Amino acid sequence: MAISIAVLDCDLLLYGRGQKTLDRFRLDDVTDEYLLSMFGFPRRFIDFLVDLLGSSLSRRTQRSRAIGPEIQILAALGFYTSGSFQTRMGDAIGISQASMSRCVTNVTEALVDRASQFIHFPVEEASLQELKDEFYAMAGMPGVLGAMDCTQVAIKAPNAEDLLYVNRKGLHSLSCLLVCNAKGVLLSAETHWPGSLPNCAVLQQSALSNQFKEDLHIDGWLLGDISFFLCSWLMTPLHVPQTPAEIRYNMAHSDTHSAVERTFRSIRTRFRCLDGSKGTLQYSPSKSSQIVLACCVLHNVALEHGLDVWCAPLTTSAEQPQLEEDFEQLDRLDTKAERIRQELIGSHFSEECNGIMGK
């Protein structure tokens, strides 16, 4: 009889619902394989999150069986990494859909509060030089501080300002402006922009743009594709390269900029709630933006813990570029930036420089 009761308790632990199971689900009660399959991360990473977020998730309450930080974190990780409906993940750890929703909200807010702790540009000169050296090692592009691009995350149609979030493909989405280093660590993440805005408009209004415009002593630049403005701190590819040096510049730019494309794929591979295969995020734009940012924080924390993720081979982007004449116009807007780009091409990608680098 004792064996039967033990089996019954195990079933309740894994699949049951109700308050009785909440205080019985502990990390020590399940295998590492179960944690990875259900929540996408190993035990040591989950323990770190409990220590990091525990103070924010512990609520004073009169309830004798309040949901503790550990369960809240497991609930949120399960949702982020599976993209499953909250009811299904709630069933796995024995909490109701309403409790599951609260757990996701609580953990998301706690991670967002710590975003600046884990997502930021380095300030020390040695760290900035390390950024440049790692990018230069990729394809010989000098002075690069980060690779930048926008990605779209599908959301449900909002109750207000519906058309503002309709992107070029006719879907509701957020436009997320991300910058990463050569290893895929995020240096900046703005996840709240409406999907209807073109990339250049997102950047123009962003905190990132203000940050670089105000730093008059910046020594280096970001890399962006042809959907962005060329400026003194943002190098874009030439739309129609005409010389061997310009072709080499474009090739080096593309190879180096691919770091952010790989980072997008890495985040979507790990956090399936963002990849669209399970449907759109069923939240308001504001809350959806917080979920995306929370996943960005977890991405960086995972990399700090040596938890890289397998990335699928690069496929053709679903995002289509703007009209060619728009790009030509953007390139003509900043003559100082054009001069800087031409000096960069002449000093690092000319025949003479190419011969020196090839030796």
Side-chain angles (χ1 to χ4, degrees), residues 104-311:
V104 172
T105 297
N106 293 342
V107 174
T108 297
E109 292 176 351
L111 287 168
V112 169
D113 287 343
R114 290 161 176 79
S116 61
Q117 177 181 346
F118 294 99
I119 303 176
H120 56 81
F121 280 90
V123 294
E124 300 83 4
E125 187 61 37
S127 298
L128 291 171
Q129 186 59 49
E130 185 179 0
L131 278 181
K132 298 176 187 178
D133 292 343
E134 290 175 348
F135 274 118
Y136 186 82
M138 294 180 65
M141 178 71 74
V144 180
L145 297 172
M148 179 191 73
D149 209 343
C150 285
T151 187
Q152 300 281 322
V153 175
I155 62 173
K156 73 172 184 178
N159 295 327
E161 298 182 315
D162 171 86
L163 294 179
L164 188 59
Y165 292 88
V166 178
N167 61 28
R168 290 193 300 258
K169 302 178 74 173
L171 305 175
H172 294 87
S173 67
L174 294 171
S175 184
C176 305
L177 179 66
L178 306 182
V179 181
C180 71
N181 69 11
K183 296 178 180 177
V185 176
L186 293 173
L187 306 174
S188 178
E190 298 184 35
T191 61
H192 61 282
W193 297 103
S196 65
L197 291 180
N199 291 358
C200 57
V202 169
L203 179 61
Q204 189 175 26
Q205 302 175 52
S206 68
L208 177 71
S209 178
N210 291 333
Q211 177 183 351
F212 274 80
K213 287 177 181 177
E214 292 172 1
D215 191 346
L216 301 179
H217 304 289
I218 188 170
D219 180 21
W221 38 70
L222 303 180
L223 295 186
D225 64 20
I226 54 177
S227 64
F228 293 102
F229 289 95
L230 172 70
C231 55
S232 59
W233 53 267
L234 176 61
M235 292 291 102
T236 61
L238 290 150
H239 184 56
V240 183
Q242 297 179 340
T243 68
E246 290 177 346
I247 292 173
R248 283 191 287 270
Y249 164 84
N250 268 18
M251 292 177 63
H253 187 290
S254 177
D255 289 345
T256 309
H257 185 260
S258 67
V260 72
E261 298 163 3
R262 291 195 302 271
T263 300
F264 287 164
R265 294 199 305 279
S266 175
I267 293 172
R268 290 180 186 273
T269 297
R270 172 168 271 147
F271 302 108
R272 301 300 297 276
C273 68
L274 306 181
D275 73 0
S277 65
K278 301 289 185 179
T280 62
L281 285 175
Q282 297 297 303
Y283 300 98
S284 67
S286 176
K287 188 168 182 180
S288 294
S289 169
Q290 287 193 319
I291 289 174
V292 179
L293 184 55
C295 290
C296 290
V297 173
L298 288 173
H299 167 79
N300 273 13
V301 177
L303 291 182
E304 284 188 11
H305 283 73
L307 301 175
D308 205 347
V309 66
W310 175 84
C311 296

Side-chain angles (χ1 to χ4, degrees), residues 85-98:
F85 290 110
Q86 291 183 358
T87 301
R88 179 182 173 187
M89 186 53 61
D91 287 342
I93 56 177
I95 61 177
S96 67
Q97 183 175 7

